[in-house]
Amino acid sequence: MYASLKSIGAYVPKNVLSNFDLEKMVDTSDEWIKKRTGIEIRHIADKDEATSDLAYEAAKVAIKRAKIDVKDVDCIILATISPDYFCMPSTACLVAEKLGIKGVMAFDISAACSGFVYSLSIAKSFIESGLKNNVLVIGAEKLSAITDYTDRGTCVIFGDGAGAAVIGRSDDKKEAIVDVMAASDGKYSNLLITPGGGSKYPASEETLKKHMHYMKMAGNETFKIAVKTLTEDVIEILRRNGLKSEDVDRFIPHQANYRIIEYVRAKLDFPKERTVVTVAKYGNTSAASIPMAINDAYENNNLNYGDLMLLDTFGGGLTWGSALVRFAQK
Ligand code: UT7
């Protein structure tokens, strides 16, 4: 019996924030953003649209495509760094309520951009152990709510969106989640951090004044570690599964920066046509980035039943991870 990715779905908010819009907000240019990140636009949720609303829309698509009844979902794992509420209730509980499922196990996980891969690892274990039958895994972010639009080092990168997948059971090895690796190193916790509002620096006038409730990033240092970690991760997961890059049908890396993706792709010898890149149109959507990219590939007829996907991610914590997953949506 194998855990299997039965479906994918995503939701992209309708409002668009272009590089030209950002030129009017901070000292930047379309040329700089495109050249240094590959990003052209990002989508921004409405004021009254919360992360749970984005997650709910993506979840509905994934459940429909899995051809299961919503009542068959017996666990919801939601990865986010922009929950509806600080600490509680979890955004997963709010999504369960919106879906109309009562009594389901539902919880959020905090692993920043690696959240979807971390969640896959938990879902895989739940399914393989027989504890759960259909785990709804969601990566959802309203990063615009925690982005400092006076900080050009971060605001040009991030966007909003959600992606969801149903992880079910299969006895066919060709539908399996083959392997998931997830890791962390807290030594680098300061590189990507939202310092204010937690128990270390509880919300106060001072934390507000210093913009401490927004994401801070040491971009260039993060960039260098991202490239190294994303590359090593792939080498390791392929090695331990006795695979080569040519065995992978779709390389789907975290969409943080086109230059990072391009460096890792070239280093690992993945051809461009087998690498999924969505950063130009969505920006960096943290935990939502990988499921949104899978969905994008699927909706553009660039992903077929049985394809072996290699997911590769990196984010705050620091956290990182990779996964070898067969696309099992029929
Ligand atoms: O998703 C989780 C993980 N996150 C990542 O992996 C993101 C990693 N980091 C990045 O993507 C890049 O580091 C950034 C896009 C954030 C920044 O690009 P960079 O090429 O690393 O730029 P930098 O920070 O080294 O700055 C180079 C120059 C500086 O000017 P000086 O000192 O050379 O005069 C910056 O002040 O670019 C300047 N700069 C900008 N200029 C125009 C920084 N941000 C901007 C901007 N527009 N938005």
Side-chain angles (χ1 to χ4, degrees):
M1 184 184 57
Y2 303 97
S4 169
L5 189 140
K6 297 284 190 188
S7 69
I8 194 73
Y11 175 73
V12 186
K14 62 181 183 311
N15 306 324
V16 166
L17 182 68
S18 71
N19 293 348
F20 299 104
D21 296 326
L22 284 160
E23 281 182 358
K24 295 178 200 133
M25 298 157 77
V26 285
D27 181 14
T28 191
S29 65
D30 171 59
E31 190 194 353
W32 190 95
I33 302 171
K34 274 209 290 239
K35 192 165 159 219
R36 307 300 292 177
T37 71
I39 300 168
E40 292 172 23
I41 56 166
R42 63 293 286 141
H43 291 254
I44 302 293
D46 271 337
K47 254 203 171 91
D48 59 359
E49 220 175 7
T51 296
S52 64
D53 297 310
L54 313 185
Y56 169 59
E57 294 301 331
K60 280 192 296 188
V61 179
I63 291 166
K64 189 165 177 223
R65 287 181 180 163
K67 301 185 183 79
I68 58 168
D69 192 284
V70 65
K71 302 272 184 304
D72 295 332
V73 171
D74 53 3
C75 180
I76 301 176
I77 307 174
L78 190 145
T80 189
I81 52 166
S82 49
D84 284 25
Y85 300 104
F86 179 55
C87 297
M88 62 182 174
S90 74
T91 306
C93 285
L94 303 174
V95 173
E97 170 62 18
K98 285 180 205 288
L99 288 169
I101 328 174
K102 298 257 177 283
V104 68
M105 179 184 195
F107 59 96
D108 291 358
I109 73 145
S110 168
C113 306
S114 310
F116 186 77
V117 169
Y118 267 58
S119 302
L120 272 187
S121 148
I122 302 167
K124 181 176 188 290
S125 311
F126 280 7
I127 299 288
E128 286 175 354
S129 66
L131 192 66
K132 297 292 173 192
N133 296 311
N134 289 295
V135 182
L136 177 62
V137 170
I138 307 171
E141 303 285 9
K142 184 181 177 180
L143 295 179
S144 57
I146 55 168
T147 297
D148 185 348
Y149 287 100
T150 65
D151 173 13
R152 70 176 182 174
T154 52
C155 74
V156 300
I157 299 175
F158 296 110
D160 300 340
V166 171
I167 311 302
R169 181 169 300 152
S170 173
D171 51 17
D172 185 349
K173 202 174 176 186
K174 289 198 264 356
E175 296 190 340
I177 296 177
V178 180
D179 195 10
V180 186
M181 281 179 15
S184 72
D185 189 346
K187 185 169 74 186
Y188 299 108
S189 54
N190 277 337
L191 295 187
L192 275 155
I193 190 164
T194 313
S199 62
K200 179 99 170 168
Y201 301 109
S204 66
E205 265 182 49
E206 197 196 350
T207 60
L208 276 179
K209 210 164 75 194
K210 290 186 173 163
H211 289 197
M212 288 169 72
H213 48 293
Y214 292 131
M215 290 179 284
K216 313 278 178 206
M217 181 173 71
N220 200 264
E221 226 178 319
T222 307
F223 187 105
K224 287 176 197 149
I225 303 176
V227 163
K228 186 170 178 285
T229 311
L230 285 161
T231 310
E232 286 173 0
D233 225 19
V234 165
I235 292 169
E236 175 57 12
I237 201 163
L238 290 176
R239 187 204 58 76
R240 79 180 199 184
N241 287 281
L243 295 169
K244 297 201 167 66
S245 45
E246 52 263 38
D247 298 319
V248 172
D249 297 302
R250 292 292 171 267
F251 177 49
I252 309 185
H254 172 46
Q255 307 288 314
N257 182 320
Y258 180 67
R259 285 189 298 135
I260 298 179
I261 296 172
E262 200 37 36
Y263 183 90
V264 176
R265 182 199 69 72
K267 180 106 186 148
L268 296 165
D269 237 4
F270 287 114
K272 270 193 177 170
E273 59 277 14
R274 283 199 268 128
T275 305
V276 177
V277 181
T278 60
V279 70
K281 53 184 178 180
Y282 302 142
N284 179 346
T285 57
S286 192
S289 122
I290 284 190
M292 284 173 76
I294 299 174
N295 184 71
D296 202 79
Y298 168 70
E299 290 190 351
N300 287 304
N301 298 318
N302 192 23
L303 184 65
N304 298 308
Y305 171 80
D307 277 354
L308 182 62
M309 303 183 285
L310 173 52
L311 316 180
D312 194 18
T313 191
F314 173 86
L318 294 178
T319 56
W320 60 92
S322 53
L324 283 163
V325 181
R326 293 266 172 208
F327 185 64
Q329 182 178 297
K330 285 181 176 147

